Amino acid sequence: MTEAPAGHLVQRPANRTAYPEVEKATRSSRFFAPRFLVELGIAAATGMCLIGVTGCRLSGAPASFQDLGAGISHTTGLRGSLKTRWVGQAAQYELEIEPIDPLQSAGFSYVVANPPEPLVLHMKLLDATGYAVCEKDVLFPFDPSSPGEADRERGQDLLQTAVGDDGKVVSLSVQGILPCTPQQYKQVDYWDFSTNFPAIAEQDELTKRAAELKVRQEAQKRASLARQKATPSAFYMEGEAEVVGYDTSRNVLQTQLGRNFLVTGQAQQSKASQWASSGVLFRYKCDQRAYCLLTAGGGQSLSVTALQ
């Protein structure tokens, strides 16, 4: 037994709702609500509407959110801020997830946009003894092919991303329903979370690899453009030649300098055969894709493909 703030005696037994797959976050604050307890006693005695528990209206006012404070995971560098309220027959919650240190925002943004695996934040609402009376998994967006995938409903939960001026994700906010019964919700004292979000060192490594890959890709692109400018295509050419033959089996027009051309289309092939029988002298001009236009006297022309 240890003495907690506000005169509460809190006993923290072994966690009966352990989440071994992920790293346990450090609880940074506890939730104490004296007014909540007073209102609960009054409601029990009089049968009146209790905003904090039933979510009904009192004097026209809607139920207000109770701030359960911040949960912090130093390993992952995440801070979660949770607010809850009871409305109608359900416990509503609002959760905001962001990096603790602004210097870690690049790693946070990269992992959210490029998750290495399905990521989850496991919320636990605990009573004064540290026992989890209500739990819920919040799924991070996991669809790299859909940039707006985070801004949609996941069942009863609505996920939204907040983006900074540089276009990077600075925080995630989630709204939804907690699977708590009224009796469980009345016992809530504070909250905690665990997550399989990559550790800070892993975030830095993922960000570093992505930056190095981008640098290599940009360098390769620049080198490719430079080669294209420095070395004209071997197919870009023009000149004059004389037809010495036409191979009908391969549809190839042959010249005396060994420059051959592939002829396609029946009309073009017929003309090529005539050129071969007459030994036509022609001028050729080919583009970088090896498409050539052959022109001879009298305005005759052939559209062919240069062969090497």
Side-chain angles (χ1 to χ4, degrees), residues 10 72 105 109 116 123 162-163 210 216 230 268:
V10 179
I72 291 176
S105 59
S109 177
M123 292 192 298
V163 180
R216 288 198 300 270
Q268 296 283 310

Side-chain angles (χ1 to χ4, degrees), residues 41-306:
I42 294 174
T46 64
M48 294 175 59
C49 166
L50 178 60
I51 295 177
V53 176
T54 64
C56 60
R57 295 175 178 270
L58 183 61
S59 301
S64 58
F65 277 99
Q66 304 280 358
D67 188 354
L68 271 66
I72 291 176
S73 170
H74 291 289
T75 301
T76 62
L78 295 185
R79 173 172 53 220
S81 300
L82 181 65
K83 296 179 180 179
T84 67
R85 66 179 178 180
W86 190 274
V87 176
Q89 299 298 317
Q92 295 181 351
Y93 78 93
E94 291 183 352
L95 173 66
E96 184 172 4
I97 308 167
E98 60 185 349
I100 300 171
D101 188 342
L103 295 177
Q104 294 299 324
S105 59
F108 173 80
S109 177
Y110 178 81
V111 172
V112 171
N114 306 274
E117 60 179 323
L119 302 176
V120 60
L121 184 144
H122 183 68
M123 292 192 298
K124 291 173 284 189
L125 279 69
L126 304 112
D127 63 16
T129 69
Y131 176 70
V133 296
C134 185
E135 304 180 52
K136 182 179 180 66
D137 283 341
V138 174
L139 304 178
F140 286 79
F142 186 68
D143 187 357
S145 65
S146 303
E149 192 267 349
D151 303 310
R152 70 177 183 85
E153 291 186 4
R154 288 172 171 265
Q156 291 181 309
D157 296 333
L158 176 65
L159 286 82
Q160 293 182 311
T161 54
V163 180
D165 295 336
D166 57 358
K168 295 182 179 180
V169 178
V170 295
S171 67
L172 281 174
S173 61
V174 192
Q175 300 176 22
I177 303 297
L178 293 168
C180 304
T181 66
Q183 186 61 33
Q184 290 172 332
Y185 188 73
K186 293 175 186 177
Q187 301 176 48
V188 173
D189 186 63
Y190 64 100
W191 81 294
D192 197 1
F193 76 87
S194 54
T195 179
N196 65 338
F197 200 88
I200 292 176
E202 295 177 88
Q203 296 176 40
D204 293 341
E205 181 64 23
L206 289 170
T207 306
K208 179 181 177 181
R209 290 178 186 174
E212 291 174 347
L213 177 60
K214 183 178 180 180
V215 169
R216 288 198 300 270
Q217 290 175 337
E218 291 177 348
Q220 291 171 354
K221 184 177 180 180
R222 290 194 299 269
S224 177
L225 291 174
R227 286 194 298 270
Q228 292 177 14
K229 292 180 180 180
T231 308
S233 170
F235 289 116
Y236 184 77
M237 56 191 177
E238 61 179 316
E240 292 184 347
E242 182 179 349
V243 178
V244 295
Y246 178 66
D247 185 345
T248 56
S249 64
R250 296 187 300 132
N251 297 319
V252 174
L253 186 68
Q254 303 166 329
T255 72
Q256 66 179 143
L257 298 178
R259 179 77 64 185
N260 298 333
F261 301 91
L262 177 65
V263 184
T264 58
Q266 185 174 357
Q268 296 283 310
Q269 292 165 356
S270 177
K271 186 180 295 185
S273 180
Q274 295 174 8
W275 281 24
S277 62
S278 303
V280 170
L281 179 67
F282 64 89
R283 184 168 184 81
Y284 62 86
K285 187 172 184 179
C286 306
D287 65 16
Q288 294 181 350
R289 295 175 296 177
Y291 296 146
C292 308
L293 178 65
L294 315 184
T295 55
Q300 301 181 73
S301 66
L302 280 174
S303 296
V304 297
T305 302

